[in-house]
Amino acid sequence: MNTSALHIFLSSFSIAFHKPLRIFVWLPLLVNVIILSSATYWLISWIGDFNPLSNFDTDVWYGFVIKVAQSAIKFLMYVLILPMLIYGFMFLAAIIVSPFSGLLAEKTAIYIIDHDPDYNFSFGDIVRITMQALVREFQKLMYFIPRALGILILGFIPVINIATPFLWIMFAVWMAALQFLDYAADNEQIPFNQMRILLNEQRGKTFMFGFIVWASMMIPILNFILIPVVVIAATRYWFAHYQPIN
């Protein structure tokens, strides 16, 4: 069986709409679409109104230079900044839908690993998985914040700040893998620190999966439906590489 990150990711799109998983896909999908569509509309409106050179008079002889500069700034914001801001909103959406994602990861494990499409969660299962997911999101935030602040501080140090864009990308890729692979680990009662060790022991595979997720999140339209698909892919990838089923 092909267990490469790309194969598992691509094949998870069709699995997401299998009947046993469908209801657990539609709920986070709906929340994700609402958050991202609202955020995209607001960000595009904000960039459209943003004019850092508004205090300059465009009626002077060099006014065309100011207009070109204004257009160039907006173009760069649409091309470079907008995708990164939407990426940030996607992680916000991932945190908000984490209880649904935890349930989807568990249902995926039961469906794919245990081959039991008819299993139904009890009320106790739903409460347990929901509470676990919320606690785990807090742990992820506590992991993310100091490291993000550290990279941000490095960005103000001359010479070193040249490397900070690459550090941001590497950290974003790592966090993309950690965010989604953790759902399966959490459901398997694996502590957060142990999960990080398992991911670090297979760093190449972890970064490969994280890069595919990160790059996919940058693709317009696709990122609207991505979260539930990535949860399914991450669950399958987890059992294929970090906690293989004998």
Side-chain angles (χ1 to χ4, degrees):
M1 183 177 69
N2 190 339
T3 60
S4 70
L6 184 59
H7 175 78
I8 287 178
F9 175 75
L10 293 176
S11 61
S12 293
F13 279 88
S14 60
I15 293 175
F17 295 99
H18 287 193
K19 188 175 179 180
L21 302 179
R22 207 174 296 159
I23 186 171
F24 298 97
V25 168
W26 283 113
L27 287 172
L29 183 62
L30 179 61
V31 175
N32 188 50
V33 167
I34 291 172
I35 292 174
L36 279 190
S37 58
S38 301
T40 302
Y41 175 80
W42 177 78
L43 288 170
I44 290 176
S45 299
W46 175 72
I47 292 175
D49 295 335
F50 182 71
N51 188 359
L53 304 179
S54 59
N55 291 329
F56 290 88
D57 186 3
T58 55
D59 293 329
V60 295
W61 65 271
Y62 55 85
F64 77 96
V65 176
I66 297 172
K67 291 179 180 179
V68 170
Q70 288 174 343
S71 299
I73 290 171
K74 286 196 175 184
F75 175 77
L76 289 174
M77 291 184 74
Y78 280 121
V79 173
L80 299 177
I81 297 177
L82 182 61
M84 292 302 295
L85 291 174
I86 291 176
Y87 176 76
F89 275 101
M90 279 202 69
F91 266 97
L92 175 62
I95 293 172
I96 292 172
V97 302
S98 60
F100 299 123
S101 297
L103 290 167
L104 175 58
E106 181 70 2
K107 186 68 175 180
T108 301
I110 294 169
Y111 177 53
I112 300 295
I113 308 301
D114 297 334
H115 307 289
D116 185 1
D118 299 319
Y119 179 86
N120 292 315
F121 291 120
S122 67
F123 179 75
D125 291 333
I126 295 173
V127 172
R128 173 181 57 81
I129 294 172
T130 299
M131 294 307 297
Q132 283 180 190
L134 292 174
V135 171
R136 202 71 158 209
E137 290 306 314
F138 178 76
Q139 290 179 299
K140 291 177 199 173
L141 280 175
M142 292 302 99
Y143 175 83
F144 170 82
I145 291 172
R147 289 162 178 80
L149 287 175
I151 298 175
L152 186 63
I153 292 170
L154 289 177
F156 292 98
I157 301 176
V159 182
I160 295 178
N161 59 9
I162 297 173
T164 52
F166 302 99
L167 292 177
W168 275 120
I169 292 174
M170 293 291 287
F171 186 54
V173 167
W174 174 259
M175 283 302 303
L178 185 147
Q179 174 70 35
F180 291 99
L181 289 168
D182 182 57
Y183 292 121
D186 187 22
N187 289 336
E188 292 298 309
Q189 307 297 315
I190 296 175
F192 183 70
N193 288 336
Q194 184 180 345
M195 180 273 301
R196 286 171 46 208
I197 292 172
L198 290 171
L199 264 57
N200 198 50
E201 286 175 347
Q202 301 199 59
R203 196 175 304 171
K205 291 179 178 178
T206 302
F207 270 101
M208 178 59 68
F209 183 79
F211 177 78
I212 291 171
V213 174
W214 174 79
S216 301
M217 286 180 170
M218 297 296 181
I219 302 175
I221 308 302
L222 176 63
N223 53 22
F224 278 71
I225 65 169
L226 207 57
I227 288 181
V229 174
V230 174
V231 172
I232 293 171
T235 302
R236 297 171 64 208
Y237 199 69
W238 173 268
F239 285 108
H241 296 287
Y242 305 95
Q243 190 178 341
I245 302 299
N246 297 322

